[in-house]
Amino acid sequence: MSESIVVNITLSKEAVTYLDNEAKKTYLSRATVAKQLLLQHIDELKVINARRLGYSIRKISEMYGIDYAKIIGILHTTQVDAGDKEADAYVEGTMKKLSEKG
Amino acid sequence: MRKYLVNSTYCIYLLDIGEFYSNEAIFTIKEVAEEIGHERGIELTVPLTQTKKTSLQIKSHLLSNTDILLLQTAKAMDFILVTDDQKIIIEANRNGVHALDTPHFIHRLLVENKWAEERAFNALNKLRSLYNRGYIIDKVIKDITNWR
């Protein structure tokens, strides 16, 4: 089991107000909401960096222990995959070949 | 009959929009079915095909064993791989494995008279709120509009 370490951070009043509003809506503590947001952002950064290095979704899931479906969600919110011309062109090529074959 | 081998992205996207579809020409492998069972707590209704080993020229450290099995099986069985993982599509390209993503596969289902146009448009519009490349949805909708 991984070790947990306490971290003290200072935030702006606006950020704390945001956390408090979210905490009120979700019936969670301010600290829990802050922790969830931080962990979510860390997961997003891990996924973005790994995608840019060329790792597949499943490989990222295995490396970081992030659920496959959660990674799909992160790929939607970040759109980090957008503009991969090689993959997009290859799919278009497959469509063209299938159309030619009938 | 043309045969397809679907990855988990296809299953998760279509399950999440309530449009899951399979037929006698759509297959997957045990590893994907187990993954969907774990992710969504359901038993997948897609027929399973035996995995096949064949040689591939790939950057294997970037892919998982299941990714490699999908590529090998699609290549050995001459199946069209359906995946939205562009890293797998790139390796498919380098190894002569035909590949489609889910929106383009929906277009194929329409061309092959498996889906009606209304179903295809509905699915694509619902998929927009989940998909990893929004512009592909727009592109496929445009392609379908021009095709009909």
Side-chain angles (χ1 to χ4, degrees):
Chain A
M1 198 170 159
S2 62
E3 184 187 2
S4 293
I5 299 166
V6 175
V7 177
N8 292 309
I9 54 171
T10 303
L11 298 170
S12 67
K13 192 177 174 187
E14 289 78 13
V16 174
T17 302
Y18 177 83
L19 291 175
D20 287 343
N21 286 338
E22 288 301 304
K24 201 172 173 183
K25 277 191 259 177
T26 53
Y27 303 101
L28 296 171
S29 69
R30 174 195 288 170
T32 303
V33 172
K35 182 178 166 182
Q36 284 178 347
L37 289 173
L38 183 60
L39 291 176
Q40 171 67 20
H41 190 58
I42 289 171
D43 281 350
E44 285 179 7
L45 291 177
K46 284 178 181 171
V47 170
I48 289 169
N49 289 335
R51 279 310 259 184
R52 287 181 179 153
L53 290 170
Y55 289 98
S56 74
I57 297 171
R58 203 172 269 112
K59 187 70 178 182
I60 297 170
S61 177
E62 288 174 4
M63 287 192 306
Y64 296 125
I66 305 171
D67 280 352
Y68 187 93
K70 185 175 181 185
I71 296 172
I72 290 178
I74 291 172
L75 295 179
H76 167 67
T77 52
T78 62
Q79 294 284 303
V80 66
D81 282 351
D84 189 330
K85 291 192 173 98
E86 182 182 345
D88 291 350
Y90 190 59
V91 168
E92 286 296 330
T94 299
M95 282 298 279
K96 200 172 169 192
K97 279 179 192 159
L98 292 175
S99 300
E100 286 164 359
K101 286 177 185 171
Chain B
M1 184 166 54
R2 193 162 285 130
K3 290 182 178 172
Y4 299 92
L5 186 67
V6 295
N7 192 7
S8 297
T9 52
Y10 166 83
C11 302
I12 288 174
Y13 280 134
L14 291 200
L15 282 167
D16 286 357
I17 63 170
E19 291 285 357
F20 189 74
Y21 176 79
S22 69
N23 65 30
E24 69 285 354
I26 300 174
F27 296 85
T28 194
I29 60 173
K30 178 172 64 73
E31 288 76 1
V32 166
E34 287 174 355
E35 192 168 66
I36 299 301
H38 170 72
E39 293 281 344
R40 289 289 181 266
I42 59 154
E43 196 173 327
L44 209 57
T45 54
V46 181
L48 301 181
T49 187
Q50 286 286 326
T51 54
K52 303 277 181 187
K53 300 265 178 162
T54 188
S55 63
L56 296 172
Q57 299 292 320
I58 53 168
K59 292 177 182 171
S60 59
H61 70 286
L62 299 174
L63 302 179
S64 76
N65 290 338
T66 301
D67 298 328
I68 295 167
L69 278 176
L70 282 164
L71 283 163
Q72 287 178 320
T73 305
K75 185 174 183 180
M77 308 276 284
D78 197 24
F79 283 5
I80 296 157
L81 184 59
V82 180
T83 180
D84 302 278
D85 190 334
Q86 287 163 293
K87 309 309 175 190
I88 300 177
I89 292 173
I90 287 168
E91 298 300 339
N93 181 9
R94 292 170 186 168
N95 286 278
V97 176
H98 290 318
L100 293 177
D101 53 32
T102 299
H104 284 91
F105 185 50
I106 288 172
H107 188 177
R108 281 304 306 173
L109 291 172
L110 183 60
V111 171
E112 292 176 10
N113 292 315
K114 306 291 185 195
W115 277 26
E117 195 172 287
E118 188 184 358
R119 184 175 183 185
F121 280 131
N122 280 341
L124 288 165
N125 282 318
K126 283 193 267 185
L127 195 55
R128 191 192 302 277
S129 63
L130 305 172
Y131 202 60
N132 63 350
R133 290 160 297 141
Y135 61 93
I136 293 291
I137 304 285
D138 296 329
K139 168 80 171 54
V140 171
I141 286 174
K142 195 174 162 192
D143 288 347
I144 292 173
T145 307
N146 292 335
W147 166 79
R148 65 184 171 188

